Amino acid sequence: MDLVHCIYCSASTNEALSSEELEVLLEESRKNNEALNVTGMLLYHAGSFFQVLEGERAVVEGIYDKITKDSRHADLIKLIVEPIEERAFAKWTMGYPRVSAADLATIPGLNDFFTKGGSFLELEEGRAKTLLAAFKEGQWRSSLE
């Protein structure tokens, strides 16, 4: 199997996305990802998404292509697509940690970014990997639902 992760960010086209609407989006994603053997995580902050998708390359690329056509997303930026040895989020069809900007600002290497009010759309590859590591290995892993 050609296992990859795809990390991207996007802006929500609904600037006032409610908790209920986000829950519906998560449930849809979890159901679809389970059927496709895709795992990952999603962060939502300040009207922007940061998502990690893990799975077979063709499947992950197909999901990303579908997201590019989804009217709920704008300004998509594919940050990283690369082979991985194993899944970082194997237990989650779509993990969703409930973290605040203050929580994100405590992640070493990102504190200056989030205290200045940065959104996920401003991340570059290095900071995306720092954020990924914080949820893959750090204290934040336990916050995934």
Side-chain angles (χ1 to χ4, degrees):
M1 178 191 302
D2 188 16
L3 192 62
V4 300
H5 65 198
C6 172
I7 303 171
Y8 77 89
C9 56
S10 67
S12 173
T13 54
N14 179 356
E15 293 180 18
L17 188 65
S18 70
S19 296
E20 293 79 21
E21 291 169 312
L22 189 54
E23 287 297 327
V24 168
L25 177 67
L26 284 165
E27 287 307 312
E28 284 177 24
S29 297
R30 288 172 176 152
K31 180 179 157 190
N32 294 336
N33 289 353
E34 184 174 15
L36 297 169
N37 193 28
V38 170
T39 56
M41 66 163 264
L42 175 74
L43 295 174
Y44 179 74
H45 169 67
S48 62
F49 296 101
F50 175 89
Q51 186 166 18
V52 179
L53 298 168
E54 304 170 323
E56 184 181 335
R57 181 180 296 274
V59 174
V60 168
E61 288 177 356
I63 291 171
Y64 181 79
D65 185 54
K66 185 177 175 183
I67 292 166
T68 65
K69 296 174 176 91
D70 188 326
S71 62
R72 296 173 291 192
H73 294 271
D75 302 324
L76 269 87
I77 301 169
K78 190 186 293 185
L79 297 166
I80 301 167
V81 176
E82 62 188 7
I84 54 175
E85 293 289 323
E86 61 183 19
R87 296 171 191 255
F89 305 103
K91 294 183 181 181
W92 295 284
T93 53
M94 188 49 56
Y96 178 68
R98 297 180 190 279
V99 295
S100 67
D103 294 329
L104 293 169
T106 66
I107 298 172
L110 292 175
N111 51 352
D112 63 327
F113 180 80
F114 286 107
T115 55
K116 293 178 183 172
S119 81
F120 294 126
L121 294 174
E122 299 165 44
L123 286 173
E124 35 64 43
E125 182 177 341
R127 285 194 167 148
K129 286 189 175 194
T130 299
L131 188 56
L132 172 65
F135 286 91
K136 177 181 175 183
E137 302 159 359
Q139 69 182 20
W140 300 104
R141 184 171 185 79
S142 64
S143 70
L144 288 168
E145 296 179 353

